[in-house]
Each structure stands twice: as structure tokens, then as C-alpha cells.
Amino acid sequence: MIPDLPSMDHAELLTVFMFVCAFVGTLVSLILAFVSPVLRHANRLLSVSLFSVALFALTSALLINHSIFLVPHLFRVNMPLHYLVAPCAYLYVRAVLYREIRFRRFDWLFFVPFGLHTLELLPFLLHSAAYKYQYLEGLLVDVAGVTKQQEGLLPAYYHPVLKMVFGTAFVLLQWRLLWQFSRRADAASRHENHALLRWLRLFTLLNTLLYPPVLLAMVLPVHNTYATVFAVCALGSYLLVTSTLLFFQPQILYGLRQLPAAPRAAVAGAPASTAPDLARKEDPARAHSLSEERREAYRALLEGHMQQEPFRRKGYTIKDLATEISVPPHLLSALINQEYRMNFSDFLNRYRVDYVKARMGRAEWRQLTLEGLALEAGFSNRTTFFRAFTKLAGCTPTEYLAQIAPSA
């Protein structure tokens, strides 16, 4: 967001650059949100992150050439969205790595700064266009007016500093996620998903480079106008580079290949022997699309067989299930992905969790501990059980048992 620049030619060039960044970023955001057929949860998080930067680029372009006076209600709308860029990028990386299809229980805490900043800016956002027009006239008189303005209740510069610290913390968490995932994955998994992991590392690196320019613009002893131009160009460049990389990687933009179950199993404590099998069997399923008639027939076979509780066997694999219902493993994997929107591991754990929930609190099962009940359901150990239960039920087994205790 920049007031008058020393040279009109430079101002026009910067305006065009920011408009291009805003257009490309918005286009990529829309593709991620509404076109990509797989990993919808992850891609929508990335969409929100990129759109937040794109709206900043658009507002900056309008401020540079004073076109903001044509749409005064757009001024400051983007400011709370700055608090969404970093957490959504972090949650995107986590969702891709661990194949998450929904938010975890306490993820809403990441969005508290966005909510609070929105509330403190609400009085200004609800003002009339005439009031905002007058405010902008006074603001853009001073060359450094935009950078010095008070955003909400906090003094000037406080929110930019908070946003930078907030973003840096999430970038560190992203690197930590990637390090933990790479450390737990076996060599075969890392090799098979080299391209996808390379993209996540590159995306995290771009996020890392997003915040130092803002810090330099605040601390370097240079003219406020040029410091602001530097920060704005850096943010616009981040958006343009990230969007361009996605355009040249259609397998990511239009549909990410899911990571195999090996790292997830390592995190959850599943037997190492089953992880490579799942990795090999589930990934090729993305290339198969079942007809409606075949999908209904296979689904009837699958659900009928699952009523016999084969999931209670430890180390049960998709190959075992496919053999028992006489369906090719790759088509079975495609069915589970397309029909239930989950991978085989989550599909199996859903039945196991439902099995445990159905028996919790019953008198005939009270002699068993939670761990004993989990082993009866087919879980390999306590850690795997607690992780799967929390993910699929939205609470821990202990919390769920406390909820049903009065009615038991």
C-alpha cells in the first residue's frame, strides 16, 4: 500500500505489476478452491492463503494510483486477512503430509488473531463511503501516511510487527512438519514422492522469504516511501512466483497425488510391515475412475463384508480385503477414495473406532481397559488407537467415555 512515488513512470509500472500479481493470484486461488478434485481441504487452505495475499496486491495497486477512491469500501478489508496467510499455509502443508480432510479440534485457535483484528476494524469497515473517502484524502497527503496509519485499537506499526512475528512462527512450524515427516518416512516413500515433497519444501521456502523484507522495511534507515515499495514488491513477487510455479505443475494445481500411508503409519505407530503395502497399493488408484454401476456393486460387496468385522485382524491390508471380496486392489482403492473420500487406513480405522464406541460403557465390556478394547477392535497399539479415535471422533477416547457415562 503506497502513496505517491517520486516518478510517475515508476508508479505506473508498480501499479501494473501489482495488478498482474493480484490477477494471477486470484485465478490460482479460484482453481484451487473450485476446480481441483482431490485434497479439497488442503487446496482450499492454500486458496485462502494465496487469496489473502492477492487482495493485498489489489489494494496496493489501487492505492498506488489513487484508484482506491473509486472503491473506498475495499480499503482495509484486506488487513485482517493478513493473519490468515501464515496459518492457512501451515495447515495446508500439514493436510497434504497427513492426508487430513478436516480441521483438527483446536485448529480454530490459529484464526483468533484474524477474528480479533476484524472486530477492531469493524467500526471503520461499517462507515459510509463518504467517511472513508475523506479519511483517504487525509491519509494520502503524507507520503508515509499509509505505513504510519493506526490499524484498529493498537498504535501504528504494532499490527505489522505482530503479523511478521505470527507469520515467522508458522513458517518455523512448517519446516518442523517437513523435517518430522522426512525423518519418519522410509527411503522408498521419500523417493516415490520426491516431486511432491520438493514442492512443499519450495513453498515453505517462499513463505520463509515472505517476511524478512517487511522487517527490513521497518528497520532500515531509508525513506519511508522506498521502504514500503520494497516490502510491497517482495509480497507481490511471492504471490507471482508461487502462482507461476503452480501453473507449471498441473498435477499439484489440479490434483495432488496423495502421499502414501507409510509416514502416517510411522507417526501413528502402525506396524512397519503394512506401511509399504499401503503405499504401493493406494497411489495408483488416483488414475482409475469407476462407473456408477460398478461402484454400487463394489460398495455393496465391501460394506457387506465389513459387517463380518475383518478389520479386527491386526495388520489387515487392502490386499487382504481385495482378495476376500474378489475386487482388484487398485479398483478397491479407487472405490474407497471416490466413494468415501478417504484412504484405506482411515476407512479401516473408522470401522474400528465405531466398534469401540459401540461397546464403550457396556457392562460386559467394562472389565477391559481402553487399550484392551482397542486391541479387540484391531488397533496395533494404544498410540495408533488414540490418534485414529481423536481424528475420526473429534475427541479423545477418555473424553468420549465421559460424555456417555451418564447414559451408560
Side-chain angles (χ1 to χ4, degrees), residues 44-316:
R44 285 170 181 170
L45 286 167
L46 180 58
S47 173
V48 172
S49 182
L50 293 179
F51 179 74
S52 300
V53 183
L55 188 58
F56 164 83
L58 175 62
T59 307
S60 299
L62 294 174
L63 281 165
I64 291 168
N65 63 4
H66 291 187
S67 296
I68 193 68
F69 288 104
L70 300 176
V71 281
H73 286 301
L74 193 59
F75 180 61
R76 280 189 172 174
V77 169
N78 65 303
M79 289 181 176
L81 295 180
H82 296 172
Y83 281 113
L84 293 181
V85 176
C88 285
Y90 164 76
L91 292 173
Y92 162 73
V93 173
R94 194 187 74 186
V96 172
L97 290 176
Y98 297 116
R99 297 178 297 186
E100 296 174 350
I101 59 174
R102 62 178 66 88
F103 289 110
R104 295 184 186 177
R105 186 178 183 186
F106 295 107
D107 284 347
W108 64 271
L109 292 172
F110 297 149
F111 304 106
V112 169
F114 162 75
L116 293 177
H117 196 26
T118 301
L119 288 176
E120 66 174 341
L121 285 178
L122 201 57
F124 178 86
L125 297 176
L126 294 178
H127 266 298
S128 65
Y131 174 86
K132 294 175 182 176
Y133 193 96
Q134 184 179 8
Y135 179 87
L136 285 166
E137 281 185 324
L139 184 69
L140 297 179
V141 168
D142 179 14
V143 172
V146 175
T147 57
K148 288 183 176 179
Q149 67 171 315
Q150 179 179 349
E151 298 181 25
L153 302 176
L154 298 180
Y157 293 117
Y158 272 60
H159 273 294
V161 172
L162 286 176
K163 291 169 184 176
M164 185 190 66
V165 173
F166 192 64
T168 303
F170 275 103
V171 166
L172 294 176
L173 289 175
Q174 278 180 236
W175 283 117
R176 182 172 176 267
L177 274 177
L178 290 167
W179 175 77
Q180 289 180 331
F181 187 90
S182 297
R183 184 169 61 88
R184 288 166 175 157
D186 56 31
S189 297
R190 287 194 296 270
H191 176 75
E192 185 177 353
N193 296 277
H194 174 71
L196 180 54
L197 289 171
R198 182 179 59 188
W199 154 248
L200 292 178
R201 291 190 186 102
L202 182 57
F203 174 69
T204 303
L205 177 62
L206 290 170
N207 276 262
T208 305
L209 300 176
L210 181 61
Y211 299 100
V214 179
L215 176 62
L216 291 174
M218 292 179 183
V219 301
L220 287 179
V222 296
H223 195 279
N224 282 327
T225 297
Y226 294 104
T228 307
V229 170
F230 174 65
V232 168
C233 285
L235 293 172
S237 298
Y238 159 82
L239 181 64
L240 191 60
V241 171
T242 304
S243 301
T244 302
L245 286 173
L246 285 169
F247 272 124
F248 282 97
Q249 300 186 76
Q251 76 280 9
I252 293 176
L253 180 59
Y254 298 103
L256 277 166
R257 290 177 66 232
Q258 291 196 23
L259 289 168
R264 179 105 183 147
V267 173
S273 60
T274 65
D277 181 64
L278 294 179
R280 290 191 298 269
K281 297 300 179 183
E282 289 191 351
D283 275 357
R286 298 322 243 170
H288 299 278
S289 180
L290 297 171
S291 66
E292 186 66 26
E293 181 179 355
R294 179 178 288 188
R295 186 161 59 182
E296 289 180 3
Y298 283 173
R299 178 174 178 172
L301 279 173
L302 174 61
E303 294 184 349
H305 186 69
M306 294 305 286
Q307 295 301 316
Q308 301 175 30
E309 303 179 347
F311 53 84
R312 293 179 61 191
R313 283 179 269 162
K314 295 180 179 61
Y316 193 66

Side-chain angles (χ1 to χ4, degrees), residues 371-385:
E371 184 173 3
L373 194 53
L375 294 176
E376 281 288 327
F379 286 104
S380 58
N381 55 56
R382 179 185 178 88
T383 302
T384 305
F385 167 58

